[in-house]
Amino acid sequence: MSLAGKTAVITGSNSGIGLGVAHELAKAGANVVLNSFTDRDEDHKLAEDMAKEHGVSARYIKADMSKGDECRALIEKAGVCDILVNNAGIQHVAAIDEFPVEKWDAIIAINLSSAFHTTAAALPVMRKAGWGRVVNIASAHGLTASPYKSAYVSAKHGIVGMTKTVALETAREPITANAICPGYVLTPLVEAQIPDTMEKYGMERDEVIEKVLLERQPSKQFATVEELGGTVVFLCSPAADQITGTTISVDGGWTAL
Ligand code: NAD
């Protein structure tokens, strides 16, 4: 499977799943555009290293996915966007009646509205190229809920809905739109939830992982960023030409429960 000659833009890709997805796409031959809201030497170095490792062209473009105009500017600066992976995301955990309004707004903006803006900007570019793939990194929380995650669950259900709409609007074109719904993946986003949970339940780290994080993941294993990257590469392959408007769960059986 070669994606040589294709360019992928992956939002929120200086860490975790986004970075893993970028690696797998580059390994398959795609040129990649990495992104986050910071502009540090180490961000640009990630792109340099990826280019060297996989023999592709790789760039890092700073754009804050909480701002609609910057989302659109990311696609404009990339110039080409055959594969758009909407991955940027944040989390905040609190009861709905105590949920800080600014956290709600930020989660809806970064986890949902950013994909509206990037997709709107990318579709004309894909149409011009005559081929395109939109892959939204949703979550098992795009299909099920958990308490204390109202903003995240709302944004992820929203992005699953938007995926279906984009698929219908592009159904007669060589463009597909799908969402991947990961269960727990051990990335900085999940690591950040561990200390609070240890304190809340008086548990050790291993106990939190087994009894809280992986409680609903029947495989009792984290999904990996490589597995998610592989799923994106599959969605970009000819075998997936008729797969559009759907979700693929990579969740160790969570949503089968
Ligand atoms: P992460 O914290 O490692 O990565 C999040 C990425 O988003 C980082 O690159 C970060 O810099 C970027 N980001 C955050 N705010 C941004 C902004 N304003 N503008 C641009 N970039 C921004 O977390 P992750 O676990 O790799 O999460 C990636 C995606 O996967 C998220 O959408 C998340 O909801 C989803 N997801 C994660 C898990 C999991 O268990 N880790 C499970 C299901 C879904």
Side-chain angles (χ1 to χ4, degrees):
M1 168 62 205
S2 170
L3 293 174
K6 304 288 189 207
T7 295
V9 178
I10 307 105
T11 71
S13 46
N14 66 352
S15 156
I17 294 172
L19 186 58
V21 166
H23 264 294
E24 294 305 312
L25 285 166
K27 204 193 281 180
N31 299 321
V32 292
V33 174
L34 305 183
N35 152 263
S36 187
F37 60 93
T38 49
D39 200 11
R40 305 165 302 185
D41 289 347
E42 64 208 76
D43 295 322
H44 294 274
K45 175 102 180 9
L46 284 174
E48 275 165 39
D49 291 349
M50 201 171 289
K52 271 189 214 141
E53 187 179 342
H54 300 296
V56 297
S57 139
R59 279 193 292 159
Y60 176 87
I61 301 177
K62 173 197 178 269
D64 184 344
M65 292 296 107
S66 69
K67 302 191 167 86
D69 54 346
E70 294 197 27
C71 296
R72 289 171 190 257
L74 169 65
I75 304 301
E76 202 179 303
K77 285 181 190 160
V80 197
C81 180
D82 304 297
I83 300 161
L84 171 63
V85 183
N86 287 306
N87 167 79
I90 58 168
Q91 175 64 286
H92 186 79
V93 180
I96 194 160
D97 50 337
E98 289 167 7
F99 212 92
V101 173
E102 65 278 10
K103 292 284 184 198
W104 171 276
D105 288 344
I107 289 175
I108 299 298
I110 297 167
N111 297 21
L112 176 59
S113 301
S114 70
F116 157 65
H117 293 292
T118 54
T119 305
L123 282 181
V125 182
M126 291 176 178
R127 287 184 173 125
K128 208 164 152 201
W131 189 89
R133 293 284 182 267
V134 179
V135 183
N136 295 322
I137 305 300
S139 167
H141 282 118
L143 303 169
T144 63
S146 292
Y148 313 118
K149 295 186 175 176
S150 55
Y152 189 84
V153 169
S154 301
K156 294 299 184 182
H157 275 68
I159 204 162
V160 168
M162 190 169 72
T163 305
K164 294 178 188 175
T165 304
V166 174
L168 293 178
E169 291 183 16
T170 57
R172 300 291 288 264
E173 304 171 78
I175 295 173
T176 66
N178 292 288
I180 296 176
C181 294
Y184 275 107
V185 187
L186 196 55
T187 65
L189 181 140
V190 169
E191 277 289 351
Q193 298 174 44
I194 295 178
D196 279 356
T197 317
M198 286 169 65
E199 203 181 305
K200 189 171 165 200
Y201 295 110
M203 287 178 176
E204 295 297 317
R205 184 187 156 83
D206 288 354
E207 248 186 313
V208 165
I209 290 177
E210 196 193 316
K211 296 193 176 144
V212 183
L213 296 183
L214 296 181
E215 195 228 334
R216 293 167 74 184
Q217 204 145 308
S219 66
K220 298 295 168 202
Q221 288 177 52
F222 287 108
T224 67
V225 300
E226 290 79 12
E227 288 160 359
L228 292 163
T231 309
V232 175
V233 170
F234 164 68
L235 286 171
C236 295
S237 73
D241 279 354
Q242 289 302 316
I243 300 180
T244 194
T246 194
T247 56
I248 298 186
S249 290
V250 183
D251 67 1
W254 177 335
T255 42
L257 278 175

